[in-house]
Amino acid sequence: MSCLDPHSFFDTDQPLARRLSLKLVIDFERKIIDGAVVLHFGSPVDGLMDLDTKGLTLRSVRSSGGALIPFELGDDVPVLGRRLRLHLPVGTREVAIDYQTSPEAVALQWLTPAQTEGGRHPFVFSQCQAIHARTMVPLQDTPRARVTYEAEVTVPEPLAAVMSAGPKGTRPGPRPGTRAFLFEMPQPIPPYLLALAVGDLQSRDLSPRSRVWAEPATVEKAAWEFAGIEEMITRAEGLFGRYEWDRYDMLVLPPSFPYGGMENPRMTFLTPTLLAGDRSLVDVVAHELAHSWTGNLVTNATMDHFWLNEGSTVWAERRILEALHGAEAAVLGWAIGQRALDTEFERFGAGSPLTRLRTDLRGVDPDDAFSSIPYEKGSRFLALIERTAGRERFDRFIRDYIARFRFTSITSEEFITFLEEKLPGVAAEVHSDSWLYEPGMPANAPVFRSERLEELTALAGRWAGGARPSKEQVSGWKPSEMLIYLQHLPRLMDPASCEWLDRVLGLTGRGNYEILVEWLTIAAGSDYEPVFGRVREVLTRVGRMKYLRPLYKALGNQPRTRALAREIFAKAGPGYHGVARRVVESVMEKYSGEASR
Ligand code: BES
Ligand code: ZN
């Protein structure tokens, strides 16, 4: 027996399911999915087979002939869930499992009509990365166990369903007032890329291979914001090779979506906070698009190699940005990332094992280990290799890497072996072992500089000495420049300084959430009362963890803002995604001062 993934019961010696046929009936009243899945093996198999499940109620397990297959459901193991052990008779080609999800399934967030833009219909969406697919479907929930799938999703009219798959039309549902949406995903994907959303959705075509889905109230705004997608895809193809997934569609979710974006193949999921009205936040789309190569084609073998997914995607995202908007824009991207990296080293401590690229997450919930380290340290590791090898050689390496490992899931060690094969000596030259296996930031980390960046950080650095930009100066700043300036200002400001900043930079009314939240973090953390209303508004509407964490943390600074945080959380908390709620709770547990309730 060999289990390679600390987050799965998958056993490499056992039969491997190659394809899933899903029938999912969405029940908004009970907040459950009535599910039936057929696991196809492709050839006859037999013996033991262990599946991952969490919170699932099993009704039956049958062979294709309809005979019951014996199964045992193990005890609930923290993080992993319950092992479902099947005893497959000789000659088994497929197994059919009837089951039901739990209303607490972590993969699913069920929204009331009030939590949507339109306010009239419920909404449900999935988020399976890293190990939540098992709360939606019983399966081998490890990235090595790639599957193709087909699905039939029954939803109440007039709602629509989208999936990380190609749409295959609709037909009347089994009961009156329902409609079934059909899907086919011909390419093998790791289970964490299974994705589903159901709601009052409309779409707008952006190019022959791309459209955006959103609620009717946001779909026009979304179509405008992401109108440049085809050029982005074309640029990415120039860098990484042909786009292999046929369509690149996007779905803008309701604001409680806990991430900026999720690279579900053929259907990237996006937070509505990207709709800044000026196309200034499309770097997140560049990131999710880049996952089409790094992550979705070449996948991390387990969450211990997560940097392979995210580090290479951040690197790729910044290369796309450079191709579209020039080297200066990319340098600003690296600088914004550096801030995130510094914050994480502060949070964990530079000696923490969680700051290694190659982690050991046995017994650790990937959601608890999540941080910017694999993103920003990982991308810097690749940028160092790029600088060491030279851009031309490295670009060829990346294309070879994708071509060699496409549709497979690999480890950090396999990456290094391939690096050594294609660019001999480079791994040793960059000290790859210390990058992968040691905590903290290696001394040879690449530095990204530009004149513009120096100007902005120097100006912010002279704040305490009285330096202030003029209104005219500020009006010429791009959003990313404004963000960098704010990031380099002191964290604690007196009320007069806050007032000046808000008046001259026009911050509290911003539609760009990166700038808005950076500002609110300074102002709320400085106990500046005029922004409290806006803070309440943001924390009540938006469930994106990237914003919840710094805002709730800043509110911990003063007794008055701690009270505000508790009041807001009491009201808004139930509307957050379960994973986001846990993050906020962990931030608030660290509040000092008067005992928390
Ligand atoms: N795949 C991640 C999101 C994720 C990672 C969800 C791990 C669950 C577990 C996605 O591609 C991502 O990185 N999103 C970022 C975007 C940013 C780096 C541009 C986000 O949500 O902020
Ligand atoms: Zn990512």
Side-chain angles (χ1 to χ4, degrees), residues 29-52:
E29 270 83 64
R30 294 156 72 203
K31 296 191 168 60
I32 59 160
I33 294 179
D34 231 315
V37 59
V38 181
L39 310 172
H40 304 267
F41 298 101
S43 53
V45 300
D46 59 76
L48 291 184
M49 180 188 198
D50 294 331
L51 301 179
D52 295 294

Side-chain angles (χ1 to χ4, degrees), residues 127 129 259-261 263 287-288 291 306 310 370 375 544:
Q127 169 56 48
Q129 199 180 17
Y259 292 95
E263 66 272 26
H287 178 95
E288 305 315 333
H291 271 305
F306 184 52
E310 297 301 341
F370 184 84
Y375 291 77
R544 184 175 174 188

